[in-house]
């Protein structure tokens, strides 16, 4: 094949000779996953009033998991990272593992701020129904 | 290649990949951390407040559809445009491997058109949001606000003169929305510029003279990354 970059330092793998069927298959997988995500999004939109908080959170986590699956297909097939050697895959994937801590810690922190604010830093119990009705004093004088 | 290859003994790339592609991967990794930091910061603020704008109410418009309530529809169109332009990009890379100049040109043009279509959609969406006209109760008076980096008309709804009306929400909403989708849109824009440059170089026969189409692969890595980021922006701003 003439696709070789003329360098003795690189061995080109055979997958470059394959046809386009894998690309189109990936396209349909990505489209399918997106349609599932949208279905779940519409499910939440139409039924969120009837669902418990935990169920809504679980559905959102499922949507996030489908997004991770889409990311896998884009990076592995479209960006051909899956065709590279293990050394190359690891030098990209291992640093990105930081995101696991990054997401957990920061969302935890955000939730902690909310709790501190709603309880005046733990000095009173949080109201079950969050009261954020602003005091509209100018209404009163009408 | 043999499984017992000694990758670290010198004389060859230990990652079996050209310098340019390794550096593109490392750039994209750092860019992933930048986008990740933005999105996680957004998530932190969103987790820290009691009320956040409901995306199904904010993003429910479609061009020429008037005031029809169409949640998720327009952004789905944008998502499919970007997925499809990713496919045409990978097909251009594929044609490059086959040294087929006409094929590369065809798919690069389609990819560029997809990028421009996406940018057009985003321009419409931003305009629609900024010039929006939503009743908000501010200091006891009804005002009509669009969504900007200083105004968020999607706050908690309260009773006012016998009708429910929104109050101002956290201004972080507009800042994060325009900041992150703008940063992504700027990546799409620069991706289109890169792709146009690659199309011109392909037409001029530069890659045929060079003997390989590796530049198309590098541009492709960047373009797929832009699609990858959109997948997460789509998740964080529109779906959840």
């Amino acid at each position: 094949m003439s696709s070789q970059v003329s360098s003795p330092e690189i061995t080109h793998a055979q997958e470059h000779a394959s046809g386009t069927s894998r690309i189109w298959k990936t396209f349909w997988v990505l489209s399918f996953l997106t349609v599932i995500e949208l279905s779940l999004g519409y499910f939440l939109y139409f039924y969120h009033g009837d669902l418990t908080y935990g169920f809504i959170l679980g559905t959102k986590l499922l949507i996030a998991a489908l997004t991770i699956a889409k990311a896998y297909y884009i990076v592995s097939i479209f960006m051909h990272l899956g065709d590279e050697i293990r050394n190359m895959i690891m030098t990209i994937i291992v640093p990105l593992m930081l995101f696991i801590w990054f997401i957990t810690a920061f969302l935890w922190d955000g939730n902690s701020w909310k709790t501190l604010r709603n309880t005046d830093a733990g000095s009173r119990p949080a109201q079950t129904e969050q009261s954020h009705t602003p005091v509209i004093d100018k209404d009163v004088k009408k | 290649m043999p499984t017992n290859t000694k990758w670290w003994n010198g004389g060859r790339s230990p990652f079996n990949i050209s310098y340019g592609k390794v550096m593109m991967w490392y750039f994209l990794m750092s860019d992933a951390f930048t986008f990740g930091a933005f999105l996680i910061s957004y998530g932190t603020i969103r987790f820290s407040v009691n009320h956040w704008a409901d995306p199904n109410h904010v993003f429910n418009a479609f061009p020429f559809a008037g005031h029809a309530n169409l949640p998720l529809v327009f952004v789905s169109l944008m998502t499919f445009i970007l997925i499809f332009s990713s496919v045409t990009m990978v097909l251009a890379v594929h044609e490059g491997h086959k040294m087929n100049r006409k094929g590369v040109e065809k798919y690069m043009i389609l990819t560029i058109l997809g990028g421009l279509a996406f940018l057009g959609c985003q321009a419409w969406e931003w305009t629609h949001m900024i010039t929006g006209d939503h009743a908000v109760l501010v200091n006891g008076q009804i005002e009509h606000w669009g969504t900007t980096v200083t105004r968020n008309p999607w706050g908690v709804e309260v009773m006012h003169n016998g009708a429910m009306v929104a109050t101002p929400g956290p201004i972080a909403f507009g800042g994060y929305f325009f900041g992150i989708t703008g940063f992504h849109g700027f990546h799409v824009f620069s991706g289109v510029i890169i792709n146009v440059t690659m199309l011109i170089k392909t037409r001029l026969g530069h890659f045929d003279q060079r003997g390989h189409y590796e530049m198309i692969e590098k541009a492709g890595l960047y373009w797929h990354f832009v699609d990858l980021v959109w997948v997460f922006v789509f998740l964080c701003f529109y779906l959840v």
Side-chain angles (χ1 to χ4, degrees):
Chain A
M1 269 198 64
S2 49
S3 69
Q4 260 78 356
V5 177
S6 46
S7 161
E9 298 172 2
I10 295 157
T11 317
H12 276 268
Q14 294 305 310
E15 75 281 345
H16 289 160
S18 66
T20 55
S21 63
R22 196 170 71 140
I23 295 167
W24 286 108
K25 205 179 117 198
T26 309
F27 167 71
W28 290 113
V29 169
L30 288 174
S31 302
F32 178 71
L33 290 174
T34 305
V35 168
I36 300 282
E37 283 182 340
L38 288 169
S39 316
L40 291 170
Y42 278 117
F43 171 72
L44 288 180
Y45 173 64
F46 286 114
Y47 295 104
H48 67 94
D50 312 326
L51 304 170
T52 62
Y53 175 77
F55 194 87
I56 291 173
L57 189 68
T59 310
K60 288 183 173 182
L61 282 173
L62 181 60
I63 297 174
L66 290 169
T67 296
I68 303 283
K70 281 164 74 179
Y72 167 79
Y73 280 104
I74 291 170
V75 174
S76 176
I77 313 283
F78 283 178
M79 297 171 88
H80 293 292
L81 187 64
D83 301 329
E84 305 292 354
I85 65 168
R86 193 184 156 81
N87 285 346
M88 180 60 204
I89 296 172
M90 288 303 147
T91 192
I92 300 299
I93 298 302
V94 172
L96 292 180
M97 296 282 180
L98 276 171
F99 272 123
I100 297 170
W101 166 81
F102 206 19
I103 293 167
T104 311
F106 276 79
L107 295 189
W108 193 295
D109 219 24
N111 194 56
S112 164
W113 290 344
K114 179 165 76 180
T115 309
L116 288 173
R117 195 152 44 206
N118 288 344
T119 61
D120 281 343
S123 63
R124 61 173 171 82
Q127 290 146 312
T128 45
E129 187 79 16
Q130 295 306 337
S131 166
H132 21 228
T133 310
V135 180
I136 305 160
D137 46 7
K138 285 180 184 157
D139 264 0
V140 178
K141 69 182 181 222
K142 267 200 302 288
Chain B
M1 67 201 76
T3 48
N4 60 347
T5 309
K6 295 277 188 282
W7 293 109
W8 301 97
N9 277 5
R12 56 159 50 251
S13 161
F15 295 146
N16 198 36
I17 190 172
S18 74
Y19 174 79
K21 271 167 78 177
V22 174
M23 289 303 122
M24 180 53 96
W25 271 107
Y26 287 160
F27 163 68
L28 294 180
M29 191 170 67
S30 72
D31 221 14
F33 279 111
T34 309
F35 270 110
F38 286 164
L39 285 172
I40 291 165
S41 152
Y42 157 74
T44 309
I45 295 300
R46 193 170 157 175
F47 267 58
S48 76
V49 294
N50 286 314
H51 179 270
W52 196 256
D54 181 350
N56 289 314
H57 294 147
V58 183
F59 309 106
N60 69 346
F62 198 87
F64 311 116
H67 290 286
N69 179 32
L70 301 165
L72 283 174
V73 177
F74 190 58
V75 73
S76 307
L77 173 70
M78 290 168 73
T79 302
F80 280 109
I81 287 173
L82 219 48
I83 290 179
F84 200 77
S85 83
S86 237
V87 172
T88 56
M89 184 75 232
V90 76
L91 289 170
V93 172
H94 184 80
E95 296 295 330
H97 284 139
K98 295 197 292 189
M99 297 295 288
N100 178 4
R101 183 153 72 101
K102 284 277 169 246
V104 174
E105 283 175 15
K106 179 177 92 178
Y107 287 120
M108 287 308 284
I109 289 170
L110 287 173
T111 308
I112 291 162
L113 289 177
L116 291 175
F118 181 88
L119 287 172
C121 289
Q122 200 168 43
W124 183 85
E125 190 186 42
W126 276 36
T127 308
H128 178 80
M129 283 189 74
I130 294 167
T131 60
D133 187 16
H134 305 281
V136 194
L137 187 65
V138 187
N139 294 327
Q141 304 291 322
I142 298 288
E143 292 188 14
H144 291 271
W145 282 9
T147 311
T148 68
V149 290
T150 53
R151 287 183 159 186
N152 174 1
W154 308 101
V156 180
E157 297 210 331
V158 294
M159 187 62 83
H160 176 71
N161 291 348
M164 294 303 277
V165 61
T167 53
I171 60 164
F173 176 74
Y176 279 115
F177 176 77
F178 290 112
I180 295 175
T181 60
F183 196 58
H184 174 264
F186 185 68
H187 274 72
V188 177
F189 176 73
S190 52
V192 168
I193 300 289
I194 291 169
N195 286 345
V196 168
T197 313
M198 290 305 129
L199 175 65
I200 293 168
K201 283 177 76 68
T202 308
R203 281 200 87 93
L204 293 175
H206 286 182
F207 303 129
D208 284 327
Q209 288 161 26
R210 205 177 283 180
H212 59 80
Y213 277 75
E214 205 197 62
M215 284 303 286
I216 300 289
E217 286 184 53
K218 288 177 214 161
L221 284 176
Y222 185 78
W223 190 253
H224 295 310
F225 176 76
V226 168
D227 183 29
L228 179 69
V229 170
W230 179 254
V231 164
F232 287 96
V233 171
F234 179 56
L235 171 76
C236 296
F237 278 101
Y238 301 94
L239 278 174
V240 300

